[in-house]
Amino acid sequence: MSKAKELGYRPNWRGRVFRRQQTRMIGLVHTDERITYSYGNSNLLGGLIGALHDRSYQLVHVRVAEGGEHTDSLVDARFDGCFVDYFVRDIEIDAIRQAALPAILINAAPKPGFPAVAPDHVEAGRLMGRHLLAHGHRRAAFFRDFHLPGVNHPDFTSEAWVAGLRETFREAGVGDGVIVVRPNREIDLLGRQLSPAFLEAMKSLGALNHSPTALIAESPTHAIDEISWQLPSTGLEAAGSVHVASMVDSPVLKRRSRPVSAIRMPYRMMGELAAKLLIQNIEDDGSIESPDLLPVELIDRHANDGSKH
C-alpha cells in the first residue's frame, strides 16, 4: 500500500462498483439541515468520515423532505448502507426496509431491525442533577426546544435528560424540583428570533413563588445566547445567584465570564462506533446488536478548579 501511494496509484472506484456490486458509499439520511441533529455536528461527522475513510468508504448526505415525502432516494439507494438521524420518521425507516439497506440509528432509541448508537442520556441527566444538588440548588428549570405549531420532532434526548434529573432530585429527598419549560416560538415567528420566546418564558419563572435557582439549556447556544444574555432582564437573580448549565458541552463555553457547566457527549466515539458497526453489517452480511450506551462526563465550570465528575 505504501508503494502504491508513493507511485501515486489511486483505486478506480467506478470499476470496483461494477465488479463487486458495491458503491463504497454510505448515506447519512437527514431531513431538514436546520433541525437535523447530526448534520452540523463536526465531531460526530469527523468520527463517521474518519472511520469510513479508514475502510475505503465515502459518506454522502441523503436529504429527504421533512414531512417524509420523496423517499425515492432511499428505495432506489445508490449506496451500500446508511446512518439514520433521529429526526427521520417511520416513513423513511419503512423505505430503508424496502430497499433492504443495512442501517444504524444515531443518537436514538433502537427500532426492530435497526440497532442504535447513543450516549447514556439518562445518566447525563443524573450527573447534571447531582451537580446542581452539590452546589445547593433544589429547584431547576429545564428549557426544552422551542414549541412551534405543526412541528413535533422526537424528543428522545430531552425526555431522557429530564428523567435522569427528576430521578436524582427525588432520590435526594427534594421532590420533583424540575420545571420543564418550552419557549413558544410563535411570540416572534416573523422575526425568526428565539430571544423573545426565551425572555417571556424566563419572566414567567421569575413570577413564581419559588422560582428556580438553576437554569438548564439543551444546547450551548441556548445557554449563552438566550438564557445567560436574557437573565438580567428577568428578575430571576433578585434572590441570589442563578446557576446556568447546558446539557451539551462546547469549546465556546470555556470563554464565558458567566460559568456554564455542561455534559461532554462522546460525539466522535459515537461516529466511529456507528461506522464500525455498519461496515461490519455490510461486509459480514449479518445482524448486529445495539452496543451499550456510551459514557458521558460532567464539566463543572462552577467549581474553582473546573473539575470533572
Side-chain angles (χ1 to χ4, degrees):
M1 181 60 75
S2 60
K3 190 66 174 176
K5 286 185 177 179
E6 184 180 324
L7 296 172
Y9 169 75
R10 295 182 66 85
N12 186 322
W13 296 110
R14 294 179 180 84
R16 288 190 175 187
V17 168
F18 288 112
R19 186 169 68 253
R20 300 182 181 178
Q21 295 298 303
Q22 281 187 321
T23 68
R24 310 300 292 186
M25 297 289 184
I26 302 295
L28 174 59
V29 182
H30 60 91
T31 52
D32 186 313
E33 64 189 47
R34 293 177 293 106
I35 61 170
T36 300
Y37 174 82
S38 60
Y39 188 87
N41 190 293
S42 59
N43 287 326
L44 177 59
L45 289 175
L48 288 171
I49 293 169
L52 291 175
H53 182 269
D54 289 345
R55 297 292 296 272
S56 301
Y57 286 86
Q58 302 292 319
L59 186 70
V60 294
H61 285 287
V62 182
R63 186 175 177 180
V64 297
E66 185 180 334
E69 301 86 1
H70 311 303
T71 56
D72 292 349
S73 59
L74 298 174
V75 177
D76 301 327
R78 298 182 184 181
F79 37 89
D80 301 330
C82 63
F83 304 111
V84 184
D85 183 277
Y86 80 102
F87 278 144
V88 177
R89 295 163 174 80
D90 287 342
I91 189 170
E92 286 89 44
I93 295 293
D94 292 340
I96 293 169
R97 283 198 181 98
Q98 182 180 342
L101 276 171
I104 299 288
L105 306 184
I106 293 178
N107 200 35
K111 293 176 178 285
F114 291 87
V117 176
D120 191 341
H121 290 301
V122 173
E123 178 61 17
R126 294 190 194 104
L127 286 175
M128 184 59 73
R130 290 195 286 269
H131 163 72
L132 296 178
L133 290 166
H135 284 274
H137 299 282
R138 299 294 182 269
R139 195 161 176 81
F142 178 85
F143 288 78
R144 290 181 65 163
D145 201 2
F146 61 84
H147 169 73
L148 190 61
V151 177
N152 186 28
H153 301 311
D155 290 313
F156 168 73
T157 54
S158 297
E159 291 174 2
W161 289 337
V162 171
L165 280 163
R166 284 181 165 157
E167 176 186 313
T168 305
F169 271 58
R170 286 194 297 268
E171 289 176 351
V174 296
D176 188 1
V178 181
I179 305 169
V180 177
V181 181
R182 195 160 198 176
N184 185 0
R185 180 68 175 273
E186 280 190 295
I187 290 173
D188 191 16
L189 180 59
L190 294 178
R192 298 288 181 185
Q193 297 294 316
L194 292 180
S195 296
F198 269 82
L199 179 58
E200 190 67 26
M202 291 166 70
K203 283 183 175 179
S204 68
L205 293 173
L208 298 175
N209 290 332
H210 300 286
S211 57
T213 60
L215 306 178
I216 309 165
E218 285 197 336
S219 70
T221 301
H222 288 174
I224 294 169
D225 296 340
E226 309 300 341
I227 294 177
S228 294
W229 184 63
Q230 302 275 15
L231 198 50
S233 306
T234 63
L236 283 169
E237 289 193 299
S241 178
V242 170
H243 196 102
V244 178
S246 169
M247 290 306 301
V248 177
D249 193 30
S250 167
V252 301
L253 297 179
K254 298 177 183 178
R255 303 188 292 270
R256 298 292 157 171
S257 57
R258 175 184 286 274
V260 178
S261 295
I263 301 294
R264 180 173 293 162
M265 295 291 176
Y267 290 128
R268 184 167 294 274
M269 182 191 303
M270 185 160 53
E272 291 171 350
L273 181 56
K276 176 183 176 181
L277 291 174
L278 185 59
I279 292 171
Q280 178 185 332
N281 195 352
I282 292 169
E283 297 186 350
D284 295 345
D285 195 24
S287 62
I288 56 176
E289 300 294 329
S290 296
D292 293 338
L293 295 173
L294 302 181
V296 294
E297 178 183 35
L298 180 97
I299 308 301
D300 185 356
R301 295 194 176 90
H302 291 80
N304 293 330
D305 61 354
S307 61
K308 302 176 183 179
H309 297 275

